[in-house]
Amino acid sequence: MAKKIIITIDGWSSAGKSTLAKQLARELGYVYVDSGAMYRAVTLYFLRNHIDWTDKTEVQNALKDIQLDFRFNEMSGSSEIHLNDENVEYLIRDLVIAEKVSEIASIKEVRAFAVTQQHKLGTKKGIVMDGRDIGTVVFPHAELKIFMVADSAVRVERRFKEMYKKKPNVTIEEIRDNIQMRDYMDSHREISPLKKADDAIELDNTSLTEDEQFQKALSWAKERIKSQ
Ligand code: DC
């Protein structure tokens, strides 16, 4: 039987990481892990419980009360994040969360909490994980690393179309501001900033269809699996 590998997909907000990661996981029979969902679920918990995240002790105590796990949903065909047994997969996509998540993801204790769980999920390989620091920090020895980029106007338009279905009063300016702010914060933070790993393959999907990008990535994955 073919050996299993770890595939990491990092890149800018709304560059299409999760779409590609899910397609690859489905095709290869691998587990898909959305690491951003972990930071979003922690953000939801902090907001709901009025945690003062500038206070290190308060953050440490709050993290002790957070249990995150991914459970596969047959209906959606994908794994969904649970925060203390509650399915929050849809709640965490709200713009209220998107506005705070980059700040919370820059906290050292929060990152250590998430990375410990990400490591555990990768011990058996056969995993596709997307995020910002997966190829650089979480799995620096992953067999295939992809770094996704796309023109910022294209990313804004894609995210707008997606959000508009759920919240028709959202404006394109709100989406643009949020993406710009997260791009800046994610790539300028002190710990594990977003950057391309030296050995990652850059995938610019500005003018690629979903199927074209999938076929490219799948061929890279098959190559890496074969050479194991
Ligand atoms: O992928 P996403 O947009 O759902 O991620 C939400 C935020 O979480 C993103 O703005 C930065 C943070 N994040 C991170 O710092 N490291 C990761 N591995 C994944 C996400």
Side-chain angles (χ1 to χ4, degrees):
M1 208 170 74
K3 273 204 178 153
K4 291 192 166 176
I5 64 168
I6 293 182
I7 302 175
T8 65
I9 304 186
D10 290 301
W12 303 93
S13 289
S14 301
K17 302 183 293 293
S18 68
T19 303
L20 177 62
K22 281 181 196 166
Q23 288 173 320
L24 283 175
R26 199 169 304 137
E27 180 70 24
L28 299 168
Y30 282 17
V31 173
Y32 163 59
V33 179
D34 172 1
S35 71
M38 295 178 159
Y39 294 100
R40 287 173 179 265
V42 169
T43 303
L44 175 65
Y45 183 92
F46 281 11
L47 289 174
R48 273 182 175 172
N49 294 283
H50 309 289
I51 305 299
D52 172 6
W53 56 79
T54 61
D55 180 333
K56 192 173 157 165
T57 314
E58 215 175 302
V59 166
Q60 280 168 334
N61 287 333
L63 291 172
K64 285 186 199 138
D65 292 329
I66 298 180
Q67 202 211 319
L68 300 179
D69 58 285
F70 288 93
R71 298 182 197 163
F72 192 76
N73 179 341
E74 300 280 349
M75 303 271 280
S76 65
S78 143
S79 56
E80 298 182 343
I81 194 158
H82 287 63
L83 165 63
N84 297 337
D85 287 330
E86 176 191 355
N87 185 337
V88 294
E89 179 67 32
Y90 301 97
L91 277 177
I92 58 166
R93 308 292 159 196
D94 201 280
L95 207 50
V96 175
I97 303 294
E99 270 159 14
K100 293 281 175 260
V101 65
S102 290
E103 191 181 333
I104 285 167
S106 69
I107 302 169
K108 191 168 128 210
E109 290 74 18
V110 171
R111 298 209 72 80
F113 170 83
V115 170
T116 302
Q117 304 192 30
Q118 290 156 11
H119 280 154
K120 281 189 198 146
L121 290 165
T123 47
K124 289 199 207 130
K125 299 209 173 185
I127 190 170
V128 185
M129 192 179 289
D130 74 353
R132 304 292 187 289
D133 61 338
I134 311 303
T136 50
V137 174
V138 182
F139 297 121
H141 304 297
E143 289 82 359
L144 174 61
K145 300 180 185 178
I146 299 174
F147 190 81
M148 289 185 65
V149 299
D151 275 3
S152 101
V154 171
R155 293 189 285 125
V156 169
E157 200 184 308
R158 284 184 195 151
R159 178 53 62 100
F160 177 69
K161 281 189 184 148
E162 189 186 311
M163 292 292 284
Y164 185 77
K165 282 188 232 148
K166 296 182 225 158
K167 204 179 154 197
N169 61 343
V170 73
T171 66
I172 197 142
E173 288 75 26
E174 273 179 292
I175 301 289
R176 183 179 304 120
D177 289 352
N178 180 257
I179 289 185
Q180 277 173 357
M181 182 265 288
R182 289 201 290 140
D183 280 355
Y184 184 84
M185 288 184 76
D186 296 344
S187 55
H188 286 79
R189 67 175 175 234
E190 212 174 298
I191 317 159
S192 315
L194 167 68
K195 65 169 192 258
K196 179 178 168 290
D198 292 338
D199 52 352
I201 308 176
E202 186 168 299
L203 177 57
D204 183 339
N205 66 16
T206 305
S207 38
L208 292 182
T209 64
E210 263 179 36
D211 192 54
E212 283 167 343
Q213 78 168 11
F214 171 57
Q215 295 306 335
K216 259 181 198 276
L218 184 62
S219 69
W220 297 334
K222 286 185 172 163
E223 241 170 57
R224 300 294 162 98
I225 292 168
K226 219 159 89 190
S227 66
Q228 288 310 296

